[in-house]
Amino acid sequence: MESDEPVETNQAVEDRIDEWRAYLKKHNTIQSVDIEELEDHLRTQISDLCDVGLDEEEAFLVAVKRIGKIEQLSLEFAREHSERLWKQLVHTPEVTDSSTTTKRDAIVAIGLAIAAGIAIKVPEIFGIHFADSDSEFGFYFRNLSLFVLPFLAGYFAWKRNLTIISNLVLAGFVVAAILIMNLYPFSEPGDTLILSMLHLPMALWLIIGIAYAGGKWRSHEQRMNFIRFSGEWFIYYTLIALGGGVLIMFTFFIFNAIGIYLDETIGFWILPCGAAGAVIIGAWLVEAKKSIIENMAPVLTHIFTPLFTLMLLSFLVIMLVTGNVIHFDRELLIGFDLLLVVVLGLLVYAISARDPQKPANFFDVLQLLLILAALIVDALALTAIAARITKYGFSPNKIAALGENIILLVNLGWSAVLYIQFLLKRSPIVRLERWQTAYIPVYMIWMWIVVAVFPLIFSFQ
């Protein structure tokens, strides 16, 4: 019996840790944390406390109390599990954020936003004027994302306290992007130049995910956190842009009333600098206000999933009835690919916000219908691309579109399989969530192939 007691105690503590971890995941809108790292800290605390004489269950309760980063979350857990003495161990009379940390984050974010705005205008010092650009493929358009996104990567590198190696990796990607966009002998206008310009922002954004994840990019939870951040950032940036548009409109109005015209000042200074700085400010707002704003994406998902499903199904039915076929060109393909990405976004935000223990419902059926409709659209796009390749031969645009649509087809296809298995109660919804996060590197690799390798393969044409 004596030899059995430690095993039973260990299992009891493991059950408590599993319950604690599940609670953190369920309440991810309270604070974005690295759950795996916190669990490591928790286990270390338990081990240390056991070494000084506490039994494992006592050590577990005290260890949770000591994890200060989730004190508010532990307090809520205590309120829901008062019968287990959590209130005695984790309840504190007042839980507040560190004002020093909040102010410091704000100062750094505002400083980097100002730096990004200044970076946009630095080329003016060397005689490269945005207003004088006579080509849509000039210096500014090639490097637009490089003026801003490195500052965002720097913000998260600082905030997550990245290691030297992780910082060097980030710097290496940024330097590589700078060299590609400015030293490659692109033809103007050329397909590979356009493709590199279109794909570079997405390639850099995925690299920012490494900084956001604190260098722990292999973590499923951290990848999902970055997906959530991306959606919330887009919401914030859109709100800032709308507010900025209203501000500019009234600025024009009141100054025009006294005969002062600010067209050039606003067009060549306020707009570009403000747009650049807002990228950093939007990220800071997501980080600072996540307890409020992170509920927005799931709410919008539940609003727009039925609408997008209805739109795609109507499109397919009308196309079938009328017999009209899609005449794809480059711009249309980009639009359809963006539509498929939006569908994936709706899927990811919906499954990340749902309780994995809840059974399937009507909304899950709608999600599956949306995925199946998107699959049909993707198949139509692939058919059109294959037909154009057969008729006109290979080109950078066609190969890039072919690759992207195949990648989307695989993602959507397996997502549909996993969703069907979930609806049939043969697989948990968590498998679908993990499939989405595991697939992110595929997009990352393809983006960088298009940016860096396509120009070499197609001789910069």
Side-chain angles (χ1 to χ4, degrees), residues 38-52:
L38 285 173
E39 184 179 342
D40 288 340
H41 291 324
L42 181 68
R43 291 182 181 277
T44 300
Q45 290 281 346
I46 292 172
S47 177
D48 292 343
L49 291 166
C50 287
D51 290 343
V52 297

Side-chain angles (χ1 to χ4, degrees), residues 344 347 368 371-372 374-376 378 405-421 432 435-436 439 443:
L344 282 172
L347 169 66
L368 179 59
I371 296 171
L372 293 176
L375 270 172
I376 296 173
D378 197 3
N405 280 274
I406 289 175
I407 289 171
L408 288 167
L409 184 73
V410 172
N411 194 346
L412 289 166
W414 190 242
S415 296
V417 171
L418 292 174
Y419 226 131
I420 291 172
Q421 291 179 352
L432 179 56
W435 163 247
Q436 296 301 329
Y439 205 71
Y443 292 104

Side-chain angles (χ1 to χ4, degrees), residues 110-126:
I110 292 171
L112 288 172
I114 293 172
I118 293 173
I120 286 283
K121 305 305 294 184
V122 165
E124 301 266 356
I125 300 173
F126 301 96

Side-chain angles (χ1 to χ4, degrees), residues 37 175 290 402 407:
E37 184 177 355
V175 170
K290 60 175 65 69
L402 180 66
I407 289 171

Side-chain angles (χ1 to χ4, degrees), residues 217-332:
W217 186 244
R218 295 182 180 180
S219 166
H220 157 74
E221 285 79 11
Q222 290 291 51
R223 291 184 188 183
M224 182 54 70
N225 284 340
F226 179 65
I227 292 174
R228 293 190 186 102
F229 161 79
S230 299
E232 305 300 343
W233 173 88
F234 178 78
I235 293 171
Y236 262 119
Y237 193 84
T238 301
L239 292 174
I240 293 171
L242 291 172
V246 173
L247 175 64
I248 288 172
M249 179 184 70
F250 281 108
T251 301
F252 269 117
F253 174 74
I254 62 175
F255 277 91
N256 283 356
I258 59 174
I260 296 176
Y261 304 99
L262 301 176
D263 302 56
E264 290 190 7
T265 301
I266 291 176
F268 299 121
W269 286 92
I270 295 177
L271 271 178
C273 294
V279 172
I280 315 298
I281 297 301
W284 168 68
L285 287 172
V286 174
E287 287 286 285
K289 305 296 183 183
K290 60 175 65 69
S291 60
I292 300 173
I293 197 68
E294 277 193 354
N295 288 319
M296 289 179 65
V299 170
L300 292 176
T301 295
H302 280 72
I303 293 173
F304 284 102
T305 291
L307 297 177
F308 270 85
T309 304
L310 180 62
M311 180 266 289
L312 281 179
L313 291 176
S314 300
F315 167 76
L316 293 173
V317 169
I318 291 173
M319 186 177 67
L320 183 65
V321 171
T322 61
N324 295 336
V325 296
I326 305 173
H327 300 286
F328 282 107
D329 55 21
R330 182 173 62 196
E331 288 73 20
L332 199 58

